[in-house]
Amino acid sequence: MKRQIGFSAAASALALVASQTASAQTANPGDTGQTDTVAEAPQGADDAIVVTGIRRSLERAADIKRESVQVVDAIVAQDIGKLPDPTTAAALQRVPGVQVSTNRNNELGDVRVRGLPDVLTTVNGREVFTTVGRNFDLQDMPAEALSRVNVFKSQTADLTEGGLAGVIDLQLNRPFNFTDPTIVLGGRANYGDRVDKINPQFSLLATDRWDTGIGEIGALINGTYSKSDYYRATTVLFQRRSASTAPFNTPGLLLPGILQNFPQQGYIERHQLNGALQWQASPSLEAYVEGFYTYFRDRGSRNGANIQPFTNGTTITDVTPGTSCIDTRVRNNNGNNPVIQTDAEGEETLTPYSPQTLCQPDSITFANLVSNQTTQARDLNQRNKQIAGGLKYEEGRLNAVLDASYQTSKYELQNITADIGQRLESLTLTTDVNGHAEYTVPGDALLSRDNLYIRNALIQNFTESRGKLFQVKGDVDYDVDSFLSNIAVGVRYAHRSAKEQSVNLNTATPGGNIGTGTEATAVLVSDTGLPDDFLVLGSRAPDLNNGSRFYIANPDFLLSEEGLDAARAYFGLAPGRPDFEPGRQFDATENTLAAYVQGKYEVDLTGSISLDGVVGARYIRTSRTIGTFVPGDDDTFDRLTAKTTDHDWLPNATARFKIGDDIQLRFGYAKSLRRPNFGSLNPAITLNQSNNPLVQSTGNAGNPDLKAQKSESFDATFEYYFPSGYIAIAGYYRDISDRVIASSAIETFDGIDYSVSRPRNVGQATLKGIELSTQYFFDFLPGALSGLGVQGAFTLADSKIGGDDPLAGYPLQGVSKYNYTLGLLYEKSGISARLVYTYRSKYLSLDATGEPTLRPISQEAIDAVAVPALVTYARAAGRLDFNIGYDITENVRIDVGGTNILGSNTSTYYDYPGYTDINNEMAYDETTYSVGVRVKF
């Protein structure tokens, strides 16, 4: 009886999905929501749709792409709790039009869909977020928890608004996706080559369904745990300046202001728990409750042997001239780029400067320079919780869904910075060794505690962010017998709140500072009275003496309350965490009411050609209040509040021509929007003064008048499906208005220059491109060779910033023009294997216009009161990954895998006329190997 009811529920769900285009916010299997325009059959309904192995997961993904009325790509788990890659972002890099990059803890992140990071994330069709942002950190949701991921690249009226670039829907398992009692245990050991440690990863899923006197009830619970140590080192030639000023007073040389080495080390811990209850109360009515909890912790530090040649007493010897030369403007008092200053009448002028021609040496030796050995210790915790429930009604031609959910998100950061330093007898810099710099320090000075001084400051940063979202929606659709085959309407209300508060206490060292005019009163660490465990040898720096370690302030000491109180006492501070500062907090509320109407049409044009699609529009009313505190009189703070109300219409239309059973052509138009982040709307300005004379003071300011970004997109695809494979070609064009960017400029407060970052709406940007994807299995080959298959994807993405922005003419940040993936697959006799290479071409990585770095300038522009743009690019790179699995029995499977097995790294450079391919940063990416086992009961 249970299996019959399972088939009935599966058939009902499948019929609903196929007929319905309503409700992007639905949370139930086979409902509306992000899955409503995608044909989805529940797992376990019959042998034909059970997902086991690489081939079946790829075929399921192709089916989803084929049946959708919009442009969608999907990633389907190869087995229960087994996406084809170790993280969600790693899996998404295989999707045409999606680009990712490596973050500080050596995981793939920064997901961009068709060049844009402005992606709405949903879980089971419901909007999710992380604290005060608009995005959801994909690192928070482990890949083992997911059954599939849908990437919607075009908007329809039933999809929740907010994804300028598209929507990424994370699908969790539910009990009615299974017909039999199921328990799945998974375990994995992951080894990082650079960190040289083995880490655990576990998962457990249990589900069952029961016939009862009140209908069928299903329950599922799924939990995951993982811990991973990480190590990622970077080598940076930081901020070029002229040697014409003190201490060198040597014309003609372009030198880095700081020779940075920044090893990052620490660990990440993840917990995740999700569960669901489904109740088929009658053949027409289903009720459900589900939710998830995620916990993410990153405890680690960024440690730098940041060697500073521009300090008192440093001299130059043994210069090997280079050929990378630029004409530039040099600020007279410090050798940096001049900045714009504004007088009382509002007239703008440049700070005094002189034109110079400068060349970067191939190598150079500095004598008697300062090594600043910094520790930036952090303990970051993120928690997300969501509980949801609803009703689904299906009777005849009528389908209706009522769904409500509540999410909370909390972020806590403790970030402590402490500096020590010493004088080094000498250092030799080689500016380019296979794409990165190398530093050589003779002797073992970096391995000695004897000559270390306290430097600069103790910086305490504590930040707490909280976000809440209540959302409720109702959707109804009705099948009709006409050209218009289905009509769907829906309404959604969402109440969002956000709050952030922080303190940034920057306390200068009680003594002097070596490398400055106060060196005579500098204090040795050994004379501070701090305990011995204040110092520790940090991780190796790959480009410093071929992998030298160096002493730093101990991160564990700084992150412990006892150790931090000892440091506070030396700096003359009271024990305990400082109070949050009124000027560093904001709160916001946002109410959204959206309604849509959408119709699905179908018509047979000839005996072999049919046309279908959807036409609809979505209306959104958004009202927002954001408040903060600004300094008033007599050390008080005054409340500052900004309110806005927006009305938006988002129309859409799609058309799909089906030619026979195998060929499809799609055309689509849609308008989408992206609301600004709450932090970007904060009307206050916060300043962070640096106590390191070689580090620029910084500031951040919001803009309550920011408009939502708007995009109009056009899509066209050609798809050909054939036995054992398919080929698809897509073209797209996107025109973006009121684009929001944040960039820095030098501003002066109380006589101090700050690099202040401000967001703004600027002109427009365009995106256009071509996506090609294919997969094929060679079933015609004899014997074991018939298990071979291939997959591939290629993306050409052409982006350009328009308007009068300083970056006009440049590509969008983070967008590679070329991306491709090539995969060799095998599935036969219980063996599943995959070898995949993913490549992306260079991309603009950083807008550094607000930095004091020197930049080339033409003779025509040399007297203009303007600061030319300054950007860095990331070099082209590729990653090779593999995975091989074997079914020991029907219920036991083992697999081994590796990511980035060729040891690819991320490096950035400057590239200007006459100043080509000049190294900026090298970041060493991790290579990971893993062994796992999965057992089903």
Side-chain angles (χ1 to χ4, degrees):
M1 179 65 180
K2 181 171 67 175
R3 182 171 295 276
Q4 291 175 343
I5 293 178
F7 284 142
S8 175
S12 298
L14 185 57
L16 175 62
V17 172
S19 67
Q20 188 174 351
T21 58
S23 170
Q25 299 84 27
T26 298
N28 219 24
D31 280 352
T32 55
Q34 313 299 34
T35 61
D36 59 356
T37 54
V38 176
E40 161 77 336
Q43 286 180 315
D46 58 46
D47 292 341
I49 59 174
V50 172
V51 175
T52 53
I54 293 172
R55 177 166 184 169
R56 188 63 195 126
S57 69
L58 292 174
E59 289 173 345
R60 282 279 307 281
D63 289 342
I64 292 167
K65 181 182 184 74
R66 183 175 189 171
E67 296 302 322
S68 171
V69 299
Q70 59 200 160
V71 182
V72 176
D73 282 289
I75 305 161
V76 177
Q78 297 173 9
D79 205 337
I80 300 167
K82 178 66 172 70
L83 276 188
D85 289 278
T87 66
T88 306
L92 287 170
Q93 71 176 322
R94 321 290 185 201
V95 174
V98 175
Q99 298 173 343
V100 301
S101 56
T102 307
N103 60 23
R104 71 182 181 207
N105 45 38
N106 250 324
E107 291 188 337
L108 292 177
D110 185 30
V111 175
R112 293 170 179 263
V113 176
R114 291 180 169 174
L116 297 173
D118 311 301
V119 180
L120 178 73
T121 304
T122 58
V123 173
N124 288 349
R126 303 182 190 91
E127 179 184 1
V128 290
F129 62 93
T130 299
T131 61
V132 299
R134 300 290 184 184
N135 284 12
F136 179 74
D137 287 346
L138 292 177
Q139 64 185 5
D140 290 357
M141 183 67 74
E144 309 97 289
L146 304 177
S147 65
R148 88 176 197 210
V149 181
N150 295 324
V151 181
F152 294 82
K153 300 177 183 177
S154 61
Q155 186 83 23
T156 49
D158 57 327
L159 288 174
T160 303
E161 75 284 347
L164 189 75
V167 176
I168 294 177
D169 183 40
L170 310 178
Q171 289 280 309
L172 304 175
N173 283 300
R174 300 179 177 106
F176 281 4
N177 288 4
F178 300 80
T179 57
D180 297 313
T182 302
I183 297 176
V184 180
L185 290 170
R188 182 170 297 277
N190 302 304
Y191 171 75
D193 183 60
R194 295 195 184 278
V195 74
D196 194 24
K197 289 185 178 180
I198 299 174
N199 292 125
Q201 181 177 325
F202 302 104
S203 63
L204 168 64
L205 179 145
T207 184
D208 198 1
R209 51 200 294 180
W210 305 271
D211 290 326
T212 71
I214 58 172
E216 185 177 23
I217 295 175
L220 179 145
I221 188 167
N222 182 26
T224 63
Y225 169 82
S226 68
K227 180 180 181 294
S228 58
D229 293 278
Y230 63 84
Y231 164 80
R232 193 183 199 218
T234 57
T235 301
V236 189
L237 295 175
F238 188 67
Q239 296 185 350
R240 266 55 167 202
R241 59 193 290 189
S242 173
S244 60
T245 58
F248 305 121
N249 301 311
T250 301
L253 290 179
L254 183 72
L255 301 178
I258 305 176
L259 314 178
Q260 289 186 337
N261 296 265
F262 263 123
Q264 301 241 22
Q265 72 263 322
Y267 69 86
I268 290 173
E269 187 175 0
R270 289 183 177 89
H271 310 160
Q272 182 275 149
L273 184 68
N274 69 278
L277 288 171
Q278 290 177 277
W279 173 31
Q280 194 73 47
S282 73
S284 300
L285 180 65
E286 181 187 317
Y288 56 88
V289 177
E290 61 185 1
F292 69 82
Y293 167 79
T294 68
Y295 170 79
F296 174 89
R297 184 183 190 185
D298 177 2
R299 182 183 173 98
S301 63
R302 186 171 182 252
N303 310 315
N306 298 327
I307 300 166
Q308 303 177 342
F310 284 85
T311 48
N312 291 344
T314 305
T315 59
I316 295 172
T317 63
D318 300 331
V319 177
T320 302
T323 57
S324 296
C325 304
I326 58 169
D327 295 323
T328 188
R329 300 184 297 197
V330 178
R331 190 170 177 178
N332 291 340
N333 65 338
N334 61 13
N336 288 323
N337 193 63
V339 300
I340 298 174
Q341 54 188 2
T342 305
D343 63 18
E345 285 74 35
E347 183 177 353
E348 293 183 340
T349 59
L350 287 174
T351 51
Y353 68 90
S354 60
Q356 295 182 17
T357 299
L358 303 175
C359 298
Q360 177 175 273
D362 287 342
S363 66
I364 187 171
T365 298
F366 302 96
N368 193 35
L369 72 172
V370 169
S371 172
N372 187 71
Q373 292 156 227
T374 186
T375 297
Q376 300 170 9
R378 68 176 172 273
D379 194 354
L380 182 157
N381 293 264
Q382 284 185 176
R383 294 175 175 85
N384 294 291
K385 303 174 186 177
Q386 187 187 76
I387 183 70
L391 298 171
K392 179 184 71 173
Y393 179 80
E394 178 184 354
E395 183 66 37
R397 299 184 178 197
L398 177 67
N399 300 289
V401 175
L402 177 66
D403 184 87
S405 67
Y406 179 69
Q407 183 199 346
T408 63
S409 182
K410 183 178 180 181
Y411 168 98
E412 296 174 296
L413 172 67
Q414 175 184 0
N415 199 323
I416 310 297
T417 300
D419 294 344
I420 59 175
Q422 61 182 308
R423 283 279 183 180
L424 299 178
E425 183 178 335
S426 71
L427 176 144
T428 298
L429 162 67
T430 305
T431 55
D432 190 350
V433 180
N434 298 323
H436 58 91
E438 285 191 353
Y439 315 132
T440 303
V441 177
D444 61 355
L446 294 170
L447 299 174
S448 172
R449 303 166 59 111
D450 296 339
N451 298 310
L452 293 171
Y453 291 82
I454 290 285
R455 289 201 83 220
N456 300 327
L458 176 69
I459 304 175
Q460 302 177 72
N461 175 262
F462 297 92
T463 300
E464 182 179 289
S465 304
R466 295 175 182 267
K468 298 178 182 179
L469 172 63
F470 170 75
Q471 53 188 325
V472 60
K473 44 80 58 191
D475 299 279
V476 178
D477 78 274
Y478 188 79
D479 294 333
V480 295
D481 293 325
S482 70
F483 167 77
L484 194 66
S485 61
N486 181 274
I487 299 174
V489 296
V491 62
R492 175 179 182 264
Y493 169 77
H495 173 76
R496 176 84 189 271
S497 64
K499 182 177 181 179
E500 181 171 284
Q501 50 189 350
S502 67
V503 57
N504 192 77
L505 191 59
N506 189 327
T507 308
T509 180
N513 219 2
I514 60 170
T516 69
T518 61
E519 187 156 355
T521 57
V523 180
L524 286 166
V525 174
S526 57
D527 293 336
T528 62
L530 291 168
D532 287 344
D533 62 346
F534 172 71
L535 295 179
V536 69
L537 273 175
S539 299
R540 65 195 184 282
D543 297 317
L544 178 61
N545 286 3
N546 295 317
S548 177
R549 301 172 71 187
F550 50 91
Y551 272 98
I552 57 171
N554 187 347
D556 291 330
F557 182 93
L558 296 175
L559 292 175
S560 71
E561 202 59 35
E562 181 181 359
L564 185 53
D565 275 346
R568 288 168 175 147
Y570 175 74
F571 279 80
L573 300 170
R577 178 177 295 193
D579 294 333
F580 290 122
E581 300 172 79
R584 294 179 184 270
Q585 69 179 51
F586 71 86
D587 55 82
T589 59
E590 182 178 86
N591 292 293
T592 302
L593 181 64
Y596 74 88
V597 59
Q598 184 166 276
K600 182 177 182 180
Y601 63 89
E602 298 178 2
V603 60
D604 288 328
L605 301 178
T606 70
S608 60
I609 301 176
S610 64
L611 169 67
D612 67 0
V614 295
V615 177
R618 188 178 187 89
Y619 166 75
I620 310 106
R621 181 186 185 275
T622 306
S623 60
R624 182 187 307 116
T625 301
I626 186 164
T628 187
F629 293 91
V630 295
D633 298 328
D634 302 323
D635 296 325
T636 62
F637 285 85
D638 298 327
R639 177 74 172 176
L640 178 63
T641 302
K643 297 182 178 181
T644 58
T645 300
D646 299 316
H647 302 267
D648 296 288
W649 285 92
L650 304 180
N652 72 279
T654 69
R656 176 176 58 174
F657 292 89
K658 295 182 179 181
I659 304 173
D661 296 328
D662 303 326
I663 295 176
Q664 295 186 159
L665 294 99
R666 302 174 192 268
F667 301 93
Y669 165 80
K671 191 172 183 179
S672 59
L673 63 80
R674 179 69 166 188
R675 302 181 184 94
N677 289 332
F678 290 113
S680 298
L681 295 164
N682 179 12
I685 181 171
T686 56
L687 301 175
N688 302 306
Q689 183 178 349
S690 171
N691 283 296
N692 185 337
L694 294 179
V695 175
Q696 178 74 55
S697 296
T698 60
N700 286 281
N703 179 359
D705 297 322
L706 283 178
K707 302 175 184 177
Q709 299 180 82
K710 305 286 180 62
S711 169
E712 288 191 286
S713 61
F714 302 85
D715 296 275
T717 71
F718 169 83
E719 301 162 27
Y720 175 44
Y721 297 88
F722 46 86
S724 302
Y726 77 90
I727 184 169
I729 302 173
Y732 63 90
Y733 177 84
R734 189 183 294 270
D735 192 348
I736 305 167
S737 59
D738 289 325
R739 187 177 63 88
V740 174
I741 68 167
S743 58
S744 298
I746 300 298
E747 301 180 27
T748 303
F749 297 88
D750 297 329
I752 299 173
D753 287 345
Y754 293 84
S755 178
V756 179
S757 177
R758 295 179 182 270
R760 65 189 189 277
N761 290 111
V762 295
Q764 53 86 229
T766 58
L767 277 165
K768 56 186 176 182
I770 297 172
E771 299 168 355
L772 171 66
S773 58
T774 186
Q775 66 189 45
Y776 183 65
F777 281 86
F778 300 96
D779 295 334
F780 61 88
L781 292 176
L785 294 178
S786 62
L788 285 172
V790 293
Q791 69 173 149
F794 171 80
T795 302
L796 185 153
D798 187 16
S799 65
K800 186 176 181 180
I801 298 171
D804 58 358
D805 191 76
L807 294 179
Y810 283 94
L812 288 172
Q813 183 175 342
V815 181
S816 292
K817 189 170 185 178
Y818 304 107
N819 255 71
Y820 67 80
T821 294
L822 296 173
L824 181 63
L825 313 171
Y826 187 82
E827 185 108 56
K828 194 78 172 179
S829 303
I831 299 174
S832 295
R834 188 183 65 149
L835 181 68
V836 182
Y837 181 77
T838 303
Y839 169 89
R840 66 181 300 188
S841 62
K842 75 172 187 178
Y843 59 91
L844 193 155
S845 60
L846 177 67
D847 173 15
T849 303
E851 294 183 357
T853 304
L854 295 177
R855 60 213 66 190
I857 192 165
S858 65
Q859 290 297 322
E860 295 78 14
I862 203 162
D863 294 323
V865 183
V867 176
L870 178 72
V871 300
T872 64
Y873 290 89
R875 290 186 171 94
R879 293 169 61 94
L880 183 65
D881 304 336
F882 79 92
N883 185 268
I884 302 173
Y886 178 67
D887 294 324
I888 297 177
T889 70
E890 183 178 343
N891 296 321
V892 180
R893 178 179 178 83
I894 60 171
D895 70 270
V896 296
T899 63
N900 193 30
I901 59 175
L902 297 182
S904 176
N905 298 313
T906 302
S907 65
T908 65
Y909 65 97
Y910 298 99
D911 196 7
Y912 295 98
Y915 192 57
T916 301
D917 205 29
I918 302 302
N919 292 330
N920 175 56
E921 177 179 328
M922 171 67 82
Y924 291 88
D925 299 343
E926 184 64 280
T927 296
T928 302
Y929 298 96
S930 65
V931 178
V933 61
R934 185 174 304 272
V935 181
K936 297 180 187 178
F937 300 94

